[in-house]
Amino acid sequence: MNNSHLEKLADTILSRIRRRPGRPVSIKSLSRSLKIEAGEIRAALTVLKTLGYKIRHRKETITFVAAPDSLIDTEIAYQLATKVIGRRIRAYRSVKSTNDIAAQMAQGGEPEGTIVTAEAQTAGRGRLGRVWHSPAGSGVYVSIILKPSFKPDLAPGLAIMTALALAEAMTVFTKGEVKIKWPNDILIGGRKAAGILTELSAEKNKVEHVIVGVGINVNHRSEDFPAELQKIATSLRIANRRKASRINLLKQFLRNFEKEYRRYQKGQLATSRKRVLRFSSLLGENVELRFGNKTVSGRVVDIDATGALIIEKDGIRRPVTSGEVSVVKA
Ligand code: BTN
């Protein structure tokens, strides 16, 4: 919200009044210190209220009451305190897919760390050509632009690194059991609560950009999911039996992501591997892994520093870097 003069003014007023939540600020003093008419302050307040800010307005004073739980740039940026990730924010109401917009922007020169968010997606994409159900106002849909200097073969670990940052962020918002289902699903109580779609563009063995897309089911009720997903999907709201703050969850994730990404660039998953393993839902399980028309089966014994799943069968250990895993019950 910082295009027009009025929007800039609304931003300035917001930062003044939210420093003292619950405490009235006089319109006269604002008008004097900002060198503007009281009428302009009133117009800026209308902008803020339209965005969902709760502001008490008495004749001579205004009081900050609460911010909306909306994915708007001002709220995402507020006290985010990251250095790279989310320093530039493109927040939309509704888009086809934030991953597509982020990819176009990355191609157009947008720097590493820029994020694209949306309140709703009309053509949200999941892995393997699936649809990512993205209703308005209940989920977090975000894509992060990365321009890493490593070779494309190191990219698979990024999904696991992202999953770790996400699982740890979600743990802050629920007492439910949060797990990572390699390579890109986050489960709560065994049901899918978030997914990650990493898409890479490379030329001549050099990564041009990677788009890390994350979809989180936050305030969905069971009936908000299509019938075929109701038994396998969940949300923080379903797990907690109350709503969670989408904006705080997004910010927690971005902060975690920045830390993990910095570590990852230095030594892939080496320093975070123990935590990855602690969150892993597949460790020790007998699984079947499909990629293309091939199937591999065995017991999951490890996730290595590149993010590969290590499967053991007949005493032989094999690393697998992609595929669709299902647990085989004995
Ligand atoms: C999956 O579990 O299959 C991955 C889901 C990824 C969904 C996110 S939502 C934000 C970003 N934009 C998309 O179109 N997809 C990802």
Side-chain angles (χ1 to χ4, degrees):
M1 123 165 127
N2 37 30
N3 304 324
S4 70
H5 165 71
L6 195 57
E7 284 167 344
K8 276 202 184 112
L9 182 58
D11 250 347
T12 311
I13 293 175
L14 180 64
S15 62
R16 292 279 180 107
I17 61 175
R18 86 184 312 177
R19 279 185 214 149
R20 313 159 35 132
R23 305 237 303 266
V25 177
S26 102
I27 293 185
K28 219 185 234 165
S29 72
L30 266 182
S31 137
R32 212 178 301 128
S33 71
L34 298 173
K35 297 190 176 61
I36 47 167
E37 302 284 317
E40 280 185 282
I41 294 184
R42 274 190 284 275
L45 285 180
T46 307
V47 171
L48 291 172
K49 285 183 183 167
T50 313
L51 287 168
Y53 287 92
K54 294 218 164 62
I55 294 166
R56 204 178 306 124
H57 183 186
R58 300 273 181 269
K59 250 192 189 161
E60 303 299 331
T61 63
I62 50 178
T63 310
F64 178 82
V65 179
D69 187 27
S70 306
L71 307 184
I72 50 178
D73 54 5
T74 310
E75 278 315 297
I76 299 170
Y78 180 64
Q79 295 184 338
L80 178 62
T82 49
K83 289 208 166 66
V84 178
I85 306 298
R87 293 325 289 163
R88 284 160 74 100
I89 299 164
R90 302 282 180 254
Y92 295 91
R93 245 174 215 283
S94 177
V95 296
K96 282 188 175 164
S97 157
T98 54
N99 262 34
D100 292 348
I101 298 204
Q104 283 158 16
M105 287 180 172
Q107 245 147 25
E110 194 70 26
E112 168 152 290
T114 297
I115 62 165
V116 179
T117 66
E119 285 285 345
Q121 295 184 117
T122 54
R125 294 185 288 108
R127 279 172 77 232
L128 310 167
R130 294 185 187 130
V131 168
W132 186 257
H133 183 62
S134 315
S138 40
V140 167
Y141 318 112
V142 58
S143 300
I144 305 174
I145 297 177
L146 299 178
K147 298 198 166 172
S149 52
F150 50 68
K151 296 247 156 58
D153 52 345
L154 288 188
L158 270 179
I160 282 289
M161 184 226 92
T162 305
L164 178 61
L166 185 53
E168 290 191 336
M170 291 176 75
T171 302
V172 174
F173 291 82
T174 184
K175 291 201 172 71
E177 191 188 37
V178 178
K179 287 280 177 193
I180 297 173
K181 181 174 173 240
W182 184 94
N184 77 317
D185 290 353
I186 305 294
L187 313 178
I188 302 179
R191 292 183 176 205
K192 183 151 169 171
I196 298 157
L197 178 67
T198 43
E199 295 181 304
L200 175 133
S201 154
E203 217 173 274
K204 297 194 191 113
N205 210 25
K206 188 177 175 300
V207 176
E208 310 237 288
H209 65 250
V210 180
I211 305 300
V212 175
V214 170
I216 318 174
N217 302 334
V218 185
N219 288 326
H220 300 54
R221 294 160 306 177
S222 181
E223 59 269 32
D224 295 329
F225 292 109
E228 68 276 14
L229 295 184
Q230 285 180 6
K231 286 213 168 75
I232 52 173
T234 191
S235 70
L236 284 168
R237 181 178 183 175
I238 295 169
N240 299 345
R241 293 167 197 265
R242 62 186 166 90
K243 282 187 162 190
S245 161
R246 291 184 304 142
I247 191 84
N248 290 343
L249 171 62
L250 169 62
K251 286 156 78 165
Q252 184 68 46
F253 164 63
L254 294 174
R255 292 184 195 114
N256 291 1
F257 185 93
E258 177 158 290
K259 274 196 214 130
E260 291 302 331
Y261 183 52
R262 216 178 290 144
R263 288 189 190 129
Y264 185 76
Q265 284 176 309
K266 286 190 198 143
Q268 299 163 43
L269 288 177
T271 49
S272 309
R273 225 177 107 233
K274 272 199 184 137
R275 286 179 297 135
V276 168
L277 292 173
R278 216 179 299 137
F279 271 108
S280 175
S281 71
L282 296 177
L283 211 59
E285 297 282 357
N286 286 311
V287 298
E288 212 171 67
L289 210 134
R290 280 181 301 278
F291 43 104
N293 47 14
K294 273 195 185 162
T295 308
V296 177
S297 60
R299 202 168 67 89
V300 175
V301 290
D302 202 357
I303 293 173
D304 74 11
T306 67
L309 193 71
I310 310 296
I311 296 187
E312 189 178 271
K313 189 168 190 190
D314 303 329
I316 298 169
R317 292 179 164 216
R318 283 187 167 199
V320 198
T321 53
S322 67
E324 186 68 357
V325 191
S326 45
V327 174
V328 182
K329 293 280 170 230

